């Protein structure tokens, strides 16, 4: 058997999400953010196409983006009340750091777009894991801004790109609580030829 890394395994096994609104300062500093992104970029990538990129919201950027998103929401939902608009203003400023993970998947002669999208999704997951390994907590959310083209443009998408989500990162204000996980037996099957 290869030698196991007990500390790394314990970290992997203990990951759980903490809601964006429960993530506070301190967030990662510049060096830690770079490290996190370097880890995220270790994602498998069929064809080495780099079919993803990251848009970072931190400091004033989160609140500024939120202002623009709230204005867009008001335009699309003229009946929205002030409480909801306030929520929109804070959408990218709940946690100290938000990393928008972008899929740049595009038609390719050999590599299906599906695989490129999976690579971007896994870059998001590695961002979550890196945050956890560095002692922070994270919440990967999509919310409406991942599905609205106008919101995408405001948040920096180029034509053809889409967000696979926004990873909110910070220090939890409450002890993380786990959720029930499925039983291994319910989701794992050992394949055998039919009829055996
Ligand atoms: C692609 C994707 C999108 C998600 N979008 C949201 C979301 O918009 N809002 C939300 O509350 N959770 C969302 N989640 C779920 C959370 O990231 C998280 O997995 C969930 O709260 C369960 O917690 P756990 O990670 O500890 O299992 C999303 C997860 C994935 C994979």
């Amino acid at each position: 058997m290869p030698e196991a890394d007990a500390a790394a395994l314990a970290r992997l096994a203990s990951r759980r999400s903490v809601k964006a609104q429960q993530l506070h300062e301190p967030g990662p500093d510049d060096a830690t953010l770079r490290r996190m992104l370097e880890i995220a970029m270790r994602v498998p990538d069929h064809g080495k196409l780099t079919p993803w990129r990251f848009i970072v919201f931190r400091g004033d950027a989160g609140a500024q983006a939120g202002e623009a998103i709230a204005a867009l929401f008001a335009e699309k939902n003229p009946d929205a009340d002030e409480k909801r608009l306030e929520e929109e203003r804070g959408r990218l400023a709940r946690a100290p750091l938000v990393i928008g993970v972008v899929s740049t998947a595009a038609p390719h002669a050999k590599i299906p777009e599906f695989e490129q999208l999976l690579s971007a999704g896994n870059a998001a997951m590695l961002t979550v894991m890196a945050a956890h390994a560095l002692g922070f907590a994270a919440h990967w959310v999509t919310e409406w801004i991942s599905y609205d083209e106008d919101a995408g443009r405001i948040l920096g998408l180029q034509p053809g790109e889409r967000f696979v989500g926004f990873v909110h990162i910070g220090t939890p204000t409450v002890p993380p609580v786990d959720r029930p996980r499925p039983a291994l037996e319910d989701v794992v099957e050992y394949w055998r030829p039919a009829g055996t």
Side-chain angles (χ1 to χ4, degrees):
M1 285 284 280
E3 193 188 335
D5 180 336
L9 283 169
R11 236 354 129 100
L12 285 171
S14 65
R15 188 212 63 84
R16 70 201 96 166
S17 297
V18 174
K19 296 244 171 259
Q21 51 271 27
Q22 294 168 343
L23 295 171
H24 287 249
E25 299 286 354
D29 60 17
D30 287 351
T32 310
L33 170 59
R34 273 194 79 86
R35 228 173 142 202
M36 211 175 268
L37 292 169
E38 280 163 4
I39 291 168
M41 293 199 313
R42 312 265 329 167
V43 68
D45 173 4
H46 194 180
K48 303 179 193 69
L49 302 176
T50 318
W52 30 258
R53 63 188 190 93
F54 306 93
I55 300 178
V56 177
F57 301 87
R58 63 190 307 221
D60 293 343
Q64 287 162 346
E67 281 296 338
I69 287 297
L72 174 69
F73 190 85
E75 202 181 304
K76 289 179 185 259
N77 303 276
D79 296 338
D81 60 17
E82 185 49 34
K83 182 166 172 279
R84 180 62 199 259
L85 294 179
E86 195 54 32
E87 193 185 314
E88 294 304 332
R89 282 185 203 105
R91 189 158 293 287
L92 289 150
R94 287 167 283 183
L97 170 67
V98 182
I99 302 178
V101 184
V102 178
S103 163
T104 63
H108 185 275
K110 291 203 181 117
I111 315 297
E113 284 187 63
F114 175 65
E115 296 189 13
Q116 299 175 48
L117 187 63
L118 285 177
S119 186
N122 280 289
M125 189 61 221
L126 270 180
T127 307
V128 168
M129 288 311 302
H132 178 58
L134 286 157
F136 298 95
H139 197 200
W140 172 359
V141 300
T142 40
E143 302 177 332
W144 71 273
I145 53 174
S146 293
Y147 297 99
D148 186 285
E149 273 187 27
D150 299 317
R153 239 186 327 272
I154 288 171
L155 299 176
L157 292 188
Q158 298 297 319
E161 294 183 335
R162 67 180 300 175
F163 282 108
V164 297
F166 295 85
V167 181
H168 297 245
I169 298 164
T171 303
T173 46
V174 292
V177 184
D178 206 2
R179 67 176 172 92
R181 305 274 163 184
L184 206 58
E185 296 69 29
D186 291 342
V187 294
V188 179
E189 175 185 343
Y190 291 84
W191 186 85
R192 290 206 307 228
T196 64

